[in-house]
């Protein structure tokens, strides 16, 4: 009895139908594998999706083909290949498939469908909110925010919206309210696929600097340490209009400038320092300067608000400093003279008292 039970369990294990998992890319063709031992007789191949027959092929019978599926190759059937080709995969293509050859189930194939995260962006919208977004993703991804220095999740509190489009692909917008001390923080947004196959990261850093009309100005920007290979774009925004300043590619070490008075120092760029040098800026150059780094799975943005003051204000400022230094120096000299005079008066007032004391001592001894 025990031997019969053992053989029964062994037969179940030995006859267990293998299962394969296949990740199909949205809008691309996908192959679900199935193979069998070829024979000289007729072969009947059937494919089911969720127990619904979608393909049936037999030489002596009329074939059945539902939807965008077919065998990978009719000629390969004689070689024992019954793999299924699913064309132009979409959300309806996901599910559990079954391959049956000559009424014997050979393979189960579990197909998942994924539209990879191909891009990520981060910016500040007109309301002053930080916005992280991507589009044409399937299934809906996971969005997480963090910051450096660290802020608690209760302090961040983002609002994330995921809306499916006409093809079922998702558009993701996650909005974060800036803290009062946002210039001291770098905000980071991570978008991860549902299956965890990829994560794209975008980050935003803000800063403010002041310059003077006609005085050369450097807008600082450095590549993140973990970003070895990147391309970048410097842009300028003023009056709701954005224009390109220059581009740079760290792989080719080539830059292209669209402004005659803006440049990068090539020696510094090789070290990751891609600060922008403005030559002889004018008042019209006040605005938002954005340096956007783009890596394989990373986007880092440094946004700098630049205020250019008139040259007269700069000259008045330069004149103001020596004038203030003169006042401070005069006060110090006056204080020093006051202390010297006071000390001198104290010293002169002590000398007559010492002399009177010296004259009265012999009189006391004589008596």
């Amino acid at each position: 009895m025990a031997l019969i039970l053992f053989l029964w369990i062994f037969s179940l294990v030995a006859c267990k139908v293998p299962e394969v998992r296949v990740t199909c890319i949205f809008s691309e063709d996908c192959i679900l594998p199935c193979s069998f031992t070829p024979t000289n007789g007729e072969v009947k191949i059937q494919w089911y999706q969720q127990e619904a027959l979608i393909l049936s092929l037999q030489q002596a019978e009329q074939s059945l083909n539902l939807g965008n599926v077919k065998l990978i190759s009719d000629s390969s059937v004689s070689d024992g290949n019954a793999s299924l080709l699913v064309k132009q995969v979409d959300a309806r293509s996901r599910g559990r498939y079954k391959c049956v050859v000559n009424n014997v189930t050979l393979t189960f194939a579990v197909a998942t469908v994924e539209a990879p995260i191909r891009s990520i962006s981060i910016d500040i919208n007109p309301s002053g909110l930080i916005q992280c977004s991507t589009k044409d993703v399937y299934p809906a991804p996971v969005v997480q925010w963090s910051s450096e220095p660290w802020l608690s999740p209760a302090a961040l509190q983002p609002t994330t919206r995921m809306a499916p489009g006409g093809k079922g692909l998702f558009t993701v917008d996650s909005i974060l309210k800036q803290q009062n001390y946002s210039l001291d923080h770098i905000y980071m947004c991570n978008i991860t696929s549902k299956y965890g196959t990829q994560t794209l990261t975008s980050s935003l850093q803000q800063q403010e600097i002041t310059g003077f009309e006609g005085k050369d100005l450097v807008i600082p920007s450095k590549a993140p340490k973990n970003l070895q290979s990147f391309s970048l774009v410097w842009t300028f925004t003023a009056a709701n209009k954005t224009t390109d300043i220059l581009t740079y590619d760290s792989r080719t070490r080539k830059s292209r400038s669209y402004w005659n008075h803006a440049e990068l120092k090539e020696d510094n760029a090789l070290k990751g320092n891609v600060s922008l040098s403005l030559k002889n800026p004018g008042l019209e150059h006040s605005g938002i300067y954005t340096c956007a780094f783009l890596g394989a799975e990373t986007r880092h943005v440094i946004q700098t608000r630049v205020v250019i003051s008139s040259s007269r204000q700069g000259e008045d400022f330069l004149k103001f400093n020596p004038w203030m230094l003169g006042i401070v120096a005069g006060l110090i000299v006056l204080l020093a003279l006051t202390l010297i005079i006071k000390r001198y008066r104290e010293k002169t007032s002590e000398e007559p008292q010492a002399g009177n004391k010296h004259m009265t001592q012999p009189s006391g001894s004589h008596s």
Side-chain angles (χ1 to χ4, degrees):
M1 183 66 181
L3 178 61
I4 295 175
L5 180 62
F6 173 78
L7 292 175
W8 178 72
I9 295 176
F10 178 80
S11 63
L12 289 178
V13 174
C15 296
K16 183 179 180 181
V17 178
E19 181 179 278
V20 295
R21 294 185 175 272
V22 181
T23 299
C24 302
I25 304 302
F26 199 95
S27 295
E28 296 182 7
D29 295 348
C30 188
I31 297 175
L32 306 182
C34 180
S35 60
F36 63 95
T37 302
T39 62
N40 295 327
E42 292 187 354
V43 178
K44 181 179 181 180
I45 300 174
Q46 295 172 305
W47 274 95
Y48 295 81
Q49 182 185 12
Q50 306 295 112
E51 300 303 326
L53 182 64
I54 59 174
L55 183 143
S56 179
L57 177 63
Q58 188 174 12
Q59 295 175 354
E61 297 180 0
Q62 185 177 2
S63 62
L64 171 68
N65 190 339
L66 298 178
N68 56 339
V69 296
K70 69 173 188 176
L71 292 183
I72 188 172
S73 174
D74 294 337
S75 60
S76 63
V77 173
S78 58
D79 297 328
N81 188 351
S83 298
L84 184 70
L85 175 65
V86 184
K87 303 187 68 177
Q88 297 293 307
V89 167
D90 57 22
R92 296 169 297 180
S93 304
R94 69 187 190 278
R96 184 181 175 90
Y97 292 77
K98 180 172 64 174
C99 174
V100 179
V101 177
N102 294 334
N103 299 322
V104 177
T105 300
L106 298 182
T107 305
F108 287 108
V110 179
T112 57
V113 176
E114 184 173 6
I117 308 170
R118 302 188 184 277
S119 65
I120 186 171
S121 63
I122 191 168
D123 203 351
I124 299 179
N125 63 23
S127 301
L129 301 175
I130 302 175
Q131 183 173 356
C132 176
S133 59
T134 189
K135 62 180 181 179
D136 296 337
V137 179
Y138 185 87
V142 178
V143 180
Q144 293 179 315
W145 284 89
S146 59
S147 66
E148 291 181 2
W150 181 82
L151 289 172
S152 66
L156 295 175
Q157 293 184 343
T159 300
T160 301
R161 298 183 180 90
M162 300 189 187
K167 295 182 178 180
L169 302 181
F170 286 88
T171 296
V172 180
D173 286 304
S174 187
I175 297 176
L176 184 69
K177 184 178 180 181
Q178 299 184 64
Q179 303 297 316
N180 295 331
Y181 40 88
S182 59
L183 293 180
D184 298 329
H185 287 79
I186 300 176
Y187 294 94
M188 293 164 288
C189 170
N190 292 332
I191 299 182
T192 304
S193 62
K194 181 179 179 180
Y195 305 122
T197 55
Q198 60 174 165
T199 297
L200 267 64
T201 301
S202 60
S203 56
L204 175 68
Q205 179 181 358
Q206 293 179 280
Q207 56 190 12
E208 293 181 355
I209 61 175
T210 302
F212 296 104
E213 184 182 16
K215 302 292 183 181
D216 293 351
L217 180 67
V218 175
I219 304 175
S221 179
K222 289 186 177 181
K225 295 181 179 180
N226 59 347
L227 195 59
Q228 302 298 327
S229 181
F230 61 87
S231 60
L232 72 82
V233 180
W234 270 101
T235 59
F236 171 71
T237 303
N240 296 326
K241 182 181 179 181
T242 300
T243 58
D244 290 343
I245 300 175
L246 60 80
T247 59
Y248 175 76
D249 193 324
S250 67
R251 293 174 289 271
T252 62
R253 301 179 181 180
K254 293 182 179 180
S255 63
R256 180 179 180 184
S257 179
Y258 303 95
W259 282 15
N260 294 329
H261 52 279
E263 65 177 6
L264 296 179
K265 301 295 184 182
E266 293 185 3
D267 293 341
N268 294 338
L270 294 176
K271 302 175 184 178
N273 184 350
V274 290
S275 299
L276 185 69
S277 297
L278 292 181
K279 302 296 182 181
N280 193 28
L283 298 179
E284 68 276 11
H285 295 121
S286 294
I288 302 296
Y289 290 79
T290 302
C291 180
F293 297 87
L294 183 61
E297 296 182 347
T298 303
R299 180 179 176 86
H300 179 64
V301 175
I302 300 178
Q303 193 173 82
T304 306
R305 182 180 299 275
V306 176
V307 178
I308 305 296
S309 302
S310 65
S311 57
R312 178 175 298 179
Q313 292 176 335
E315 292 173 358
D316 293 342
F317 178 79
L318 293 174
K319 292 177 180 178
F320 177 77
N321 279 342
W323 182 67
M324 287 297 296
L325 290 174
I327 293 178
V328 173
L331 291 173
I332 293 174
V333 172
L334 181 60
L335 179 61
L337 289 174
T338 302
L339 293 175
I340 292 173
I341 293 172
K342 182 178 179 182
R343 181 61 180 168
Y344 175 77
R345 288 179 177 177
E346 291 176 352
K347 184 176 181 181
T348 54
S349 64
E350 290 176 355
E351 289 179 355
Q353 295 178 3
N356 292 337
K357 184 177 180 180
H358 179 75
M359 294 288 294
T360 56
Q361 284 180 355
S363 174
S365 61
H366 178 73
S367 60

